[in-house]
Amino acid sequence: MTDQDSSGAEPDPALTPPSASEALGAALAGAARRSGLDPNSERSTGHVVWHAMGGWRGMAEAVVPGIVFIAVYTLTMDASTGEGNLGWSLGLSVGIAAVFTLARLIARQPVTSAVSGLLAVAVAAAFALLTGEASNNFIPGFITNVLYGAAFLISALSGWSLIGLAVGFLMGEGTAWRRDRRKRRAFFWLAIAWAALFAARLLVQFPLYLADNVTALGTLKLVMGIPLFAPLLAVTYLVVRAVYPRADKTGADIPE
């Protein structure tokens, strides 16, 4: 059997459907590019990471609803029962997320991050309201950490690092990075590092969930959120820049 069809003509590559890895890589690269995480950028690492995090507004949208939930729940806590006012805590948290989304709509700014944040807060609130347990507000976060952690770990162990797939298509080489031992090793350890971050969140926070310690759980969720996410994002960006040195107009690599 040959690659030619019955007419003897070679198949048109443009008509060949992409493989699963190519489709996933292209999707990841597109998401990274929309977030501003493009290794081809001439901007500093700090600027790129800050932009990817959404700046001050993005940071506020990510952490303020959680802070409001924990603050209100703790301040309304009944000393005899050790429980706070769940309705007020969830209502104000969801309300703050809705205000952020509305503000972006009024300003005609991109609402993707705000809407995703609102949905996350609303889904978490639904878990807590339906069960009547404040600690169940954190179940969606646990599920997210399990899924992301497993995805990064499996991709690393299978030799198809999610980091490598995204970067390969961002840099225009597709999956060719798998033939480069240095890149393959770098992307393997980056995927392992991200898997470790999600695993660490679970290992630290899940025992607090079992103990029904809502205040400590909410506080640690905030501490292990952006404060850990942003540095690892910066390290990832620096490693990628190191394995893909920028080139000047003559083709010579420009040292970082």
Side-chain angles (χ1 to χ4, degrees):
M1 177 70 88
T2 67
D3 290 335
Q4 294 183 337
D5 58 25
S6 58
S7 65
E10 293 290 341
D12 185 352
L15 299 179
T16 304
S19 65
S21 61
E22 291 174 336
L24 177 59
L28 291 172
R33 187 176 289 108
R34 288 191 296 272
S35 298
L37 290 171
D38 191 343
N40 294 302
S41 174
E42 297 296 325
R43 297 172 178 174
S44 67
T45 300
H47 187 282
V48 169
V49 172
W50 183 250
H51 177 72
M53 300 295 293
W56 288 112
R57 172 168 285 187
M59 297 273 282
E61 292 169 348
V63 304
V64 171
I67 292 175
V68 169
F69 173 80
I70 293 302
V72 175
Y73 189 83
T74 302
L75 291 173
T76 59
M77 188 173 291
D78 188 320
S80 61
T81 63
E83 296 181 356
N85 190 308
L86 182 58
W88 275 105
S89 303
L90 294 174
L92 290 174
S93 177
V94 174
I96 289 293
V99 168
F100 281 131
T101 303
L102 182 61
R104 282 189 178 269
L105 286 171
I106 293 174
R108 296 184 178 181
Q109 295 179 338
V111 298
T112 302
S113 62
V115 170
S116 62
L118 174 59
L119 288 175
V121 172
V123 170
F127 269 80
L129 285 174
L130 291 174
T131 61
E133 295 289 338
S135 57
N136 287 341
N137 183 59
F138 302 95
I139 287 180
F142 292 143
I143 295 173
T144 299
N145 283 311
V146 168
L147 293 177
Y148 283 168
F152 276 106
L153 180 61
I154 292 172
S155 74
L157 297 180
S158 66
W160 290 91
S161 167
L162 292 177
I163 305 293
L165 286 173
V167 173
F169 280 85
L170 276 172
M171 302 305 294
E173 70 168 357
T175 59
W177 57 271
R178 298 187 72 246
R179 296 192 292 271
D180 186 312
R181 183 178 179 183
R182 180 168 176 255
K183 294 176 182 177
R184 192 170 64 249
R185 184 169 59 246
F187 295 147
F188 168 84
W189 286 112
L190 284 175
I192 291 294
W194 281 101
L197 170 62
F198 295 115
R201 289 176 176 174
L202 289 169
L203 290 173
V204 172
Q205 297 171 24
F206 195 67
L208 295 173
Y209 167 78
L210 296 177
D212 201 27
N213 193 334
V214 176
T215 300
L217 176 55
T219 301
L220 275 175
K221 180 180 180 180
L222 292 171
V223 171
M224 301 184 76
I226 289 179
L228 295 183
F229 183 88
L232 185 53
L233 188 62
V235 169
T236 301
Y237 186 77
L238 287 171
V239 171
V240 170
R241 289 288 292 271
V243 297
Y244 288 96
R246 286 176 294 173
D248 61 20
K249 294 181 180 179
T250 64
D253 289 342
I254 298 178
E256 292 291 333

